[in-house]
Amino acid sequence: MCNAPSLPSSATQKQKKIWGWLQHPPPHPPCSPPPFAQPEVALSRSATVVTITSASSQLLYVYVQRNCNLNCRGSSGRSSAERVRCSAVKVEDDIDDEACELVNGVELSIGEGDNNIQAYLFKAVKNNNGTCVLLLSDIFGFQDSATRDFAYQVACHGYNVLVPDLFRGDPWAEGRPRTMLEQWLASQDPERVAKDIATSTKWIVDEFTAAGISKKLGIIGFCFGGGRVIDVLAADQGAYFSTAVSFYGTRMDPSAASKVKVPVLFISGDNDPLCPVSVLSEFEKSIGQGSRVVIFKGRGHAFAHRPGSPEEDGDAEQAFTLMRNWLHDGLLVNT
């Protein structure tokens, strides 16, 4: 997401030692994970500190340059409960309190029998607003680091975020030949995917809505998941979901648009053949309800959650802000 950060000349010997450990971790016994379980770091334009929580809950910190987007998280591959913490230990300038939320993450097994699926839940600990958002991943699945990174950032703003496994343990892998993509997609039965999303929705309703914690729910989707957002809303008819954000949705059903009863924010780039601007404009008109299309000039597919350059990183940050404000207005203000 960003250029590799470096320590400022004012860094202490302890900070330099920690930074060196992070860049070149020492070998560890094969039967035990390293203390950081391969931490991943994405930084922020306002960040002066990165904090990383290890698997053993020990907090280490390093100073970084002020040119990237703050997001601190542990490995996305852990299957047990984990706590991810962003904490300004000692900053040179003020840092946004929203970037210093405590977030709990836990892998879940939801549904029963044939409807049983895996999912990951991020829960804001500090200033939890009680509202839950369902996040539908792209083809790389719910364990993908970019998807969990984004879900974590949403949770940092007070939300509870559920990310279900839409592919039953068989997401698309980058190493597969692109010629096999259509075959793989064909193996993902649309009815089964719809049922799994319905199972996830029911779990959220039982946990948050029926319990009186949240009156309405939000839904976000990227790429494959962005297309499924429209299907979900068409079937929901405004019963549970009150707002939605679709990032460069693919394989969207035009006939479903007129059945959507809540506003949708569409975010995409004008250089994305998988999500043409003309298609989004038609969806916006068909849905109405105050829906909106935001197009980023020159951007291609997946720029908002997989930015590949500093320029894309800036647009990704702007796209995130648009989404955050949209969720706030739809879930916390207009309810």
Side-chain angles (χ1 to χ4, degrees):
M1 178 180 296
C2 313
N3 293 327
S6 59
L7 287 173
S9 57
S10 59
T12 66
Q13 286 298 116
K14 182 178 180 180
Q15 291 163 0
K16 291 178 181 178
K17 183 177 180 180
I18 293 172
W19 182 253
W21 193 99
L22 288 171
Q23 299 301 301
H24 303 287
H28 57 279
C31 295
S32 63
F36 284 97
Q38 296 180 348
E40 301 167 12
V41 182
L43 310 169
S44 164
R45 296 196 192 312
S46 62
T48 53
V49 172
V50 169
T51 62
I52 301 175
T53 305
S54 71
S56 60
S57 298
Q58 295 175 337
L59 191 68
L60 298 183
Y61 60 95
V62 295
Y63 281 83
V64 301
Q65 291 179 326
R66 301 174 52 83
N67 61 352
C68 297
N69 208 7
L70 177 64
N71 178 25
C72 322
R73 54 192 168 81
S75 169
S76 60
R78 291 199 292 268
S79 59
S80 59
E82 61 182 334
R83 169 166 289 187
V84 184
R85 170 161 41 189
C86 275
S87 172
V89 180
K90 180 181 179 183
V91 296
E92 297 169 344
D93 299 301
D94 291 336
I95 194 166
D96 192 341
D97 288 338
E98 289 181 326
C100 297
E101 289 283 357
L102 291 175
V103 175
N104 278 341
V106 62
E107 196 155 321
L108 305 170
S109 178
I110 60 179
E112 299 179 353
D114 292 339
N115 293 326
N116 176 258
I117 63 171
Q118 301 302 303
Y120 204 89
L121 177 68
F122 290 88
K123 295 184 68 173
V125 176
K126 179 183 176 183
N127 298 330
N128 190 308
N129 58 38
T131 302
C132 193
V133 174
L134 179 64
L135 192 154
L136 306 181
S137 73
D138 58 16
I139 60 176
F140 297 104
F142 85 123
Q143 289 186 319
D144 177 74
S145 60
T147 295
R148 291 200 178 183
D149 172 68
F150 198 96
Y152 165 78
Q153 292 184 58
V154 176
C156 271
H157 289 81
Y159 295 97
N160 305 287
V161 185
L162 183 70
V163 188
D165 178 10
L166 300 181
F167 308 113
R168 296 289 185 103
D170 181 33
W172 178 255
E174 292 187 10
R176 294 185 183 181
R178 296 292 296 180
T179 54
M180 295 178 59
L181 179 59
E182 289 300 322
Q183 179 182 347
W184 175 83
L185 284 169
S187 70
Q188 305 299 327
D189 179 32
E191 291 187 7
R192 194 271 304 157
V193 172
K195 287 182 180 179
D196 289 350
I197 296 175
T199 295
S200 303
T201 302
K202 182 181 184 303
W203 186 88
I204 292 175
V205 170
D206 291 343
E207 290 291 322
F208 293 93
T209 306
I213 299 175
S214 177
K215 294 180 180 179
K216 287 289 185 178
L217 308 174
I219 183 170
I220 304 169
F222 305 114
C223 316
F224 178 90
R228 306 295 68 74
V229 163
I230 303 303
D231 300 335
V232 172
L233 295 178
D236 182 66
Q237 293 284 292
Y240 297 115
F241 295 104
S242 63
T243 194
V245 183
S246 175
F247 288 89
Y248 24 79
T250 61
R251 301 170 187 265
M252 294 189 291
D253 181 6
S255 66
S258 61
K259 302 174 185 177
V260 175
K261 305 300 181 184
V262 300
V264 181
L265 172 62
F266 295 95
I267 296 178
S268 190
D270 65 358
N271 191 28
D272 186 351
L274 299 178
C275 184
V277 175
S278 58
V279 171
L280 294 182
S281 297
E282 290 301 317
F283 269 85
E284 180 188 22
K285 294 176 184 177
S286 298
I287 295 173
Q289 308 293 333
S291 295
R292 182 184 176 194
V293 173
V294 178
I295 303 298
F296 285 79
K297 186 176 181 180
R299 295 294 165 241
H301 199 64
F303 77 92
H305 75 300
R306 298 179 185 278
S309 68
E311 292 76 21
E312 283 196 348
D313 190 57
D315 284 347
E317 199 169 309
Q318 184 178 348
F320 185 90
T321 300
L322 289 169
M323 178 213 65
R324 182 190 65 189
N325 294 340
W326 186 269
L327 291 178
H328 179 268
D329 292 345
L331 296 176
L332 304 179
V333 177
N334 301 323
T335 55

